[in-house]
Amino acid sequence: MSLLGYVFMQRALIAGTLIGATAGAIGVYVVLRGFSFIGAGIAHAAFGGVAIALLLGIEPLWGALAFSLAVAWAIAYTSRRAAIKEEVAVGILFAASMALGIFLLSFVPGYRADLFGYLFGNILSVSSHDLLVSFVLAGLVFTAVAVLYKEFLFITFDPGMAEVSGFPVGVLQGLLLSLVALTVVLSLRVVGAVLVAALLVIPAATAYQLVQDFHRLLFLSALLGIAEVVGGLIISFYLDTPSGPTIVLLSAALFALVMFLRKRSP
Amino acid sequence: MKPVVELVDVWVELGGHTVLEAITMRVEEGEFVSVVGPNGAGKTTLLKVILGLVAPQRGEVRVFGRPPRDLGRDRARIGYVPQVEEIDLRFPLRVIDVVLMGRYGILGLGRRPRREDRRAALEALELVGIRELAGKLIGELSGGQRQRAFLARALAAKPKLLLLDEPTTGVDPAASESFYELLRKIQEEDVTILMVTHDVGVVSRYVDKVACINRRLVVHGRPEEVVTSEALAEMYGCAALFFHHGRIPHMVVRPHTDFREEGK
């Protein structure tokens, strides 16, 4: 039976397309701001949220959403106060949420198998309900990027000047990090909490080597994201490997290939 | 003449340190003023106070007659050229897109740049003499060209007050001089200019007034008064600057010599 014959695979591929496009586009901001680590921090916080949701018996995605949004705004807030450095705040939240997640999950009977899926992704796990949520989250992310295109570009390139020009830089930064959070939650089922940060970095870093115009960079990164997630899903289907690592390895290989070819061409 | 910038007894404390102390100064409409002083003297903080980014603990600040935080739409009448080190030059943006950001303040939240914004950006590039570089990436420009691009960004909104923070850092002397010439040309279009700089010597040939700051306002006056003043000799931060950058060192080495007598 061909891969599209399976309903779970159809759902995974649709979700994968949404994930690739959003992670690719949002990844451009993550890479240009140089805050790759923040993606990892938010992803691990999301995992803590999943654990609490499982313990309370509510939908895991809601737990992930609440936790990752809370961490996104906490980072935006601490980065505006000079008392603690951004990376330090992320470093603490990141480890604490992950630890909390594992700690709490040890109290949840029968969910151990599923745990692996939340950490490394599982293509079997995308329900039709998840798919609906994915559409809503991806829609929110793209609407925000389209409406606040100029603002996000401004605070990424030159936050100081954005502030001088009267833009609410703190709120915009919180919103941009919220989009990172939404992307993480959207990707959680398929890519897993451990590896989602890679998806926020690799497609954008690959595209950055190929184009030098911000607008094109957004599009190319989104396209690369789709190609890498969908390609990785197909490979993981045939090799029967966890989807997250397969996607990330494919992305990393493509990044290395582009870097190698660019070095050789003048 | 109306004061464009007015500070009365301004005190600023940052992280437990007094950065600015009892600063009182006025910048009149149409003046070109340079702010000089040693590193850590509070020059950048002074600009931030005028921009409303730093609120003083004590004292009054007025820009166009109002506190900077209450400027509202008039905020767009302030053009600002920040220090270039704060900007990532590998950012994938073209010069025209960077200059267009100078219009963002007028546009406000959620509105996209339109044709007239693009026209204003190109005019600003024309004014600073690098219109032909509009399509280049910002990272491809030389130091002097980049400085002009950031000046064009500040001019794109047609400001009445222009604030510059060390605009000629990393720019070679010839390019710096032509940059100052350009500022003089802009001043003639009724733009008030306040420029923070290290370049004490050369700049005094272009500006109307020099304000020497070392936490306190040490002197503020015409360049020939400032470089010969006793106050300057007292203030060793500024004097040290003259020694090291010494383009007119004889004026400072012997501060008691009367420059005006000598000049005649």
Side-chain angles (χ1 to χ4, degrees):
Chain A
M1 200 164 169
S2 89
L3 118 168
L4 285 176
Y6 297 95
V7 176
F8 77 86
M9 202 56 203
Q10 292 170 6
R11 286 203 290 253
L13 288 175
I14 295 170
T17 306
L18 295 173
I19 292 165
T22 43
I26 292 302
V28 169
Y29 297 98
V30 171
V31 165
L32 289 177
R33 272 295 298 276
F35 56 32
S36 317
F37 194 45
I38 286 176
I42 292 176
H44 287 73
F47 182 72
V50 167
I52 288 190
L54 288 174
L55 197 64
L56 296 176
I58 56 173
E59 176 63 43
L61 280 184
W62 296 120
L65 194 61
F67 258 57
S68 53
L69 282 174
V71 168
W73 283 94
I75 294 168
Y77 181 81
T78 48
S79 72
R80 306 278 298 163
R81 319 262 146 207
I84 326 172
K85 269 198 145 185
E86 206 168 80
E87 300 113 70
V88 179
V90 180
I92 295 167
L93 289 168
F94 161 54
S97 317
M98 187 76 190
L100 180 72
I102 309 266
F103 181 80
L104 290 176
L105 279 173
S106 68
F107 296 107
V108 183
Y111 267 110
R112 300 292 171 82
D114 209 22
L115 172 67
F116 196 71
Y118 281 106
L119 286 175
F120 298 108
N122 182 355
I123 41 174
L124 294 170
S125 67
V126 183
S127 67
S128 55
H129 172 72
D130 290 337
L131 204 54
L132 186 69
V133 173
S134 299
F135 269 108
V136 172
L137 294 182
L140 277 174
V141 171
F142 278 105
T143 307
V145 169
V147 172
L148 295 172
Y149 176 85
K150 163 180 125 254
E151 286 73 14
F152 287 152
L153 174 62
F154 208 8
I155 65 161
T156 306
F157 176 65
D158 195 348
M161 191 65 199
E163 188 149 15
V164 169
S165 308
F167 287 87
V169 175
V171 173
L172 287 167
Q173 243 152 21
L175 281 176
L176 188 52
L177 287 175
S178 299
L179 299 188
V180 175
L182 294 186
T183 306
V184 164
V185 173
L186 169 68
S187 316
L188 207 55
R189 289 279 196 187
V190 172
V191 190
V194 174
L195 295 171
V196 63
L199 211 56
L200 282 165
V201 175
I202 303 175
T206 310
Y208 183 62
Q209 297 182 74
L210 294 169
V211 289
Q212 296 180 303
D213 180 288
F214 184 76
H215 204 68
R216 286 188 201 152
L217 183 57
L218 270 184
F219 275 96
L220 183 62
S221 183
L223 285 178
L224 276 173
I226 294 171
E228 287 166 1
V229 175
V230 169
L233 282 172
I234 292 169
I235 294 171
S236 79
F237 174 81
Y238 286 113
L239 298 183
D240 196 20
T241 49
S243 47
T246 314
I247 291 165
V248 171
L249 284 175
L250 176 68
S251 311
L254 200 60
F255 173 82
L257 182 72
V258 167
M259 196 168 71
F260 179 70
L261 292 177
R262 287 254 321 156
K263 269 216 175 119
R264 293 200 10 168
S265 67
Chain B
M1 273 198 294
K2 284 184 297 181
V4 172
V5 178
E6 227 180 337
L7 292 99
V8 182
D9 191 29
V10 167
W11 292 67
V12 174
E13 215 175 85
L14 292 175
H17 297 278
T18 305
V19 183
L20 292 175
E21 205 178 300
I23 303 268
T24 296
M25 68 182 276
R26 292 158 65 112
V27 179
E28 310 285 343
E29 196 174 341
E31 270 187 333
F32 184 176
V33 177
S34 75
V35 177
V36 301
N39 282 328
K43 299 178 304 245
T44 298
T45 306
L46 182 75
L47 289 189
K48 288 189 172 166
V49 165
I50 296 169
L51 286 163
L53 299 180
V54 169
Q57 268 73 32
R58 236 176 81 185
E60 268 181 73
V61 184
R62 278 186 295 272
V63 180
F64 304 122
R66 273 181 292 164
R69 278 163 195 258
D70 302 340
L71 277 175
R73 296 198 71 84
D74 276 346
R75 183 171 274 276
R77 290 166 66 200
I78 310 178
Y80 176 49
V81 181
Q83 289 189 35
V84 193
E85 298 98 273
E86 291 169 12
I87 287 149
D88 180 8
L89 295 173
R90 289 164 308 170
F91 206 97
L93 273 181
R94 298 188 187 283
V95 172
I96 180 71
D97 297 320
V98 173
V99 176
L100 214 43
M101 286 180 176
R103 303 286 297 178
Y104 284 8
I106 299 178
L107 286 166
L109 275 173
R111 278 171 63 209
R112 296 270 185 130
R114 307 163 70 107
R115 195 177 301 150
E116 70 240 40
D117 298 304
R118 193 159 278 273
R119 195 184 310 127
L122 285 170
E123 278 170 17
L125 279 170
E126 180 88 57
L127 182 62
V128 303
I130 55 164
R131 191 184 166 129
E132 72 282 3
L133 301 177
K136 287 253 187 203
L137 289 170
I138 191 74
E140 289 176 328
L141 304 188
S142 72
Q145 290 169 339
R146 196 180 303 133
Q147 217 35 268
R148 282 172 185 250
F150 284 110
L151 177 61
R153 178 175 72 170
L155 294 173
K158 304 194 166 50
K160 298 312 274 174
L161 171 64
L162 188 59
L163 304 174
L164 305 100
D165 196 353
E166 307 267 7
T168 54
T169 307
V171 177
D172 66 77
S176 296
E177 290 216 32
S178 71
F179 187 78
Y180 298 141
E181 301 265 7
L182 178 60
L183 290 180
R184 277 286 281 268
K185 203 173 88 185
I186 290 160
Q187 183 197 5
E188 280 162 23
E189 319 230 331
D190 282 330
V191 180
T192 308
I193 304 177
L194 188 66
M195 175 173 70
V196 163
T197 180
H198 263 106
D199 197 352
V200 193
V202 175
V203 98
S204 56
R205 280 197 264 125
Y206 297 93
V207 299
D208 303 314
K209 276 185 187 159
V210 176
C212 201
I213 284 185
N214 193 4
R215 225 173 51 188
R216 295 175 299 124
L217 180 69
V218 179
V219 285
H220 181 204
R222 285 183 291 128
E224 60 273 23
E225 291 165 1
V226 171
V227 291
T228 55
S229 69
E230 304 235 349
L232 188 70
E234 268 170 39
M235 198 199 79
Y236 103 174
C238 259
L241 258 166
F242 280 96
F243 292 131
H244 293 303
H245 294 257
R247 287 197 169 93
I248 38 171
H250 61 282
M251 296 179 192
V252 177
V253 175
R254 282 188 294 277
H256 294 287
T257 313
D258 191 339
F259 170 74
R260 271 151 295 183
E261 284 293 319
E262 208 174 61
K264 271 175 193 164

